[in-house]
Amino acid sequence: MKKYILQTQNVTKTFGRYTALNNVSISLEQGKVYGLIGQNGAGKTTLMRLIAGLSFSSEGTIELFGSKSEKETQEALKRIGCLIEYPSLNGNMTAKENLTLHRIIRGIPNKEIEDELLEIVGLNDTRKKKAKDFSLGMRQRLGIAIALLGSPELLILDEPINGLDPVGVVEIRNLLKKMCKERNMTILISSHNLAELYQTCTNYIIINKGEVKKVLTLSELEDCCKHHIKIDCSNPERLVEVLERKLEINNYKVMEDKSIKIYERLDEKERISKTIYENGVIPIHFAIEGDTLENYFLSVIGGGKDA
């Protein structure tokens, strides 16, 4: 049975006449990394703020760890770690002093966690350097360390790789994967970097203009983007028989709508088309399909440039 860490039902958030989120319903399973994909203004940060308890929805419900009441929700929020928009740092403090401050505010007694987290995010050698002198990437690293205080079961990260160099991006990616695997942590991460999300996440939520447009797994995303020959016909059973017996094609998939996607011998489409026709299968649709991540994203949101 699936264990859901978070479930939202028809969540709507308005600011005056402006609707930032419109009937958003999502479910996050334990131990998965979810990529929240959307353009600027799509509603990513607003949704994250609602989940983290930093704002309140105008309509709808948000259930954390099965919480049913306001008291249960307040307790559930203690099991969340988040980095939303910009890290809350004291510029006149060092990285460790900032961690100490946040640890004390949150009532976490374990002092040893500070050095452990600084090493995990690669800031253990900053010593007496003040946060005001940190680069953007260093600030992001410290923000992630603060979010990890208390060993959260749900980690919410808004553009966490912003400002990181390529090495830092890989390190954070590996850290998130490790925490998900070893601690069974659920992670919700937003980013404009689609290629990076593709290498990090197990599931994806595409949002545009405050509405969820698509929810899919990594395998489903790969299936959408992987190049293939797509065939629609009135007799898919006969088509499968021809593919296997006449063409010896085994790398194919029958979709829910009964269309068939072939993932091999794409350079032999003329032969495939001729063979299936000669064996009594008349295709309604026959074409090579598949997209880049960026093109697929644009096709889902309608190709709009503003969100």
Side-chain angles (χ1 to χ4, degrees):
M1 184 176 179
K2 293 180 180 179
K3 181 177 180 180
Y4 292 109
I5 297 298
L6 165 76
Q7 289 184 293
T8 73
Q9 288 292 330
N10 302 319
V11 168
T12 296
K13 178 65 175 178
T14 58
F15 298 94
R17 296 181 178 179
Y18 175 69
T19 300
L21 293 174
N22 184 27
N23 290 319
V24 171
S25 298
I26 59 172
S27 299
L28 305 189
E29 291 181 50
Q30 184 177 28
K32 301 287 182 68
V33 183
Y34 289 82
L36 186 58
I37 307 173
Q39 297 171 297
N40 288 334
K44 303 189 301 298
T45 300
T46 299
L47 178 58
M48 288 181 156
R49 287 179 60 82
L50 292 180
I51 295 170
L54 301 176
S55 183
F56 299 96
S57 61
S58 304
E59 296 178 24
T61 59
I62 297 176
E63 187 177 294
L64 284 166
F65 305 101
S67 60
K68 299 294 184 181
S69 65
E70 184 177 341
K71 183 179 179 180
E72 288 179 341
T73 299
Q74 289 303 312
E75 286 299 312
L77 288 172
K78 297 177 182 178
R79 300 160 70 180
I80 291 179
C82 62
L83 170 60
I84 298 177
E85 293 181 315
Y86 301 102
S88 178
L89 306 177
N90 186 315
N92 292 314
M93 289 184 173
T94 65
K96 185 167 184 177
E97 288 170 344
N98 268 283
L99 271 181
T100 301
L101 175 63
H102 282 270
R103 180 181 60 78
I104 293 174
I105 290 174
R106 295 172 60 181
I108 299 170
N110 183 12
K111 293 182 179 180
E112 290 75 20
I113 193 68
E114 296 172 11
D115 290 327
E116 180 183 333
L117 289 175
L118 288 175
E119 183 172 356
I120 285 175
V121 299
L123 292 177
N124 54 319
D125 61 349
T126 54
R127 299 181 179 86
K128 295 184 178 181
K129 188 173 184 177
K130 305 295 184 182
K132 63 183 179 182
D133 298 319
F134 283 5
S135 66
L136 177 58
M138 292 172 69
R139 287 172 175 267
Q140 289 295 101
R141 289 172 183 266
L142 183 52
I144 292 173
I146 292 171
L148 289 171
L149 281 168
S151 301
E153 296 169 61
L154 171 60
L155 182 63
I156 301 172
L157 301 175
D158 188 14
E159 300 282 352
I161 61 174
N162 186 29
L164 296 181
D165 58 31
V167 174
V169 169
V170 173
E171 289 175 348
I172 295 302
R173 178 206 306 158
N174 292 338
L175 170 63
L176 296 179
K177 287 183 173 181
K178 181 179 180 181
M179 289 189 299
C180 179
K181 181 178 180 180
E182 295 183 358
R183 303 186 187 183
N184 206 25
M185 185 183 293
T186 303
I187 302 173
L188 178 63
I189 174 175
S190 73
S191 177
H192 287 96
N193 190 330
L194 298 183
E196 183 54 38
L197 285 182
Y198 176 70
Q199 297 181 71
T200 307
C201 302
T202 60
N203 297 71
Y204 301 85
I205 302 167
I206 299 177
I207 186 171
N208 186 53
K209 296 182 180 179
E211 297 182 354
V212 172
K213 297 297 184 181
K214 195 82 173 180
V215 177
L216 65 169
T217 64
L218 174 60
S219 61
E220 289 170 338
L221 178 63
E222 289 178 332
D223 189 49
C224 291
C225 295
K226 187 177 181 180
H227 281 75
H228 55 268
I229 297 174
K230 183 180 179 182
I231 307 175
D232 287 292
C233 67
S234 59
N235 191 349
E237 293 81 7
R238 175 58 180 163
L239 174 56
V240 167
E241 183 181 353
V242 173
L243 292 179
E244 292 185 353
R245 295 188 177 183
K246 301 294 183 179
L247 291 164
E248 297 183 342
I249 290 176
N250 296 299
N251 189 9
Y252 66 86
K253 187 174 182 180
V254 180
M255 311 305 293
E256 289 185 5
D257 62 0
K258 300 301 182 181
S259 65
I260 293 175
K261 294 182 178 180
I262 302 172
Y263 297 102
E264 62 177 292
R265 292 157 63 176
L266 271 61
D267 57 340
E268 298 180 30
K269 59 181 184 296
E270 290 83 4
R271 182 191 170 203
I272 294 172
S273 176
K274 181 181 179 182
T275 301
I276 64 175
Y277 183 80
E278 289 176 344
N279 284 271
V281 177
I282 301 176
I284 301 169
H285 175 85
F286 186 104
I288 291 182
E289 297 184 358
D291 252 324
T292 63
L293 290 171
E294 290 78 7
N295 286 342
Y296 176 71
F297 169 70
L298 289 174
S299 71
V300 170
I301 67 171
K305 294 183 179 180
D306 298 307

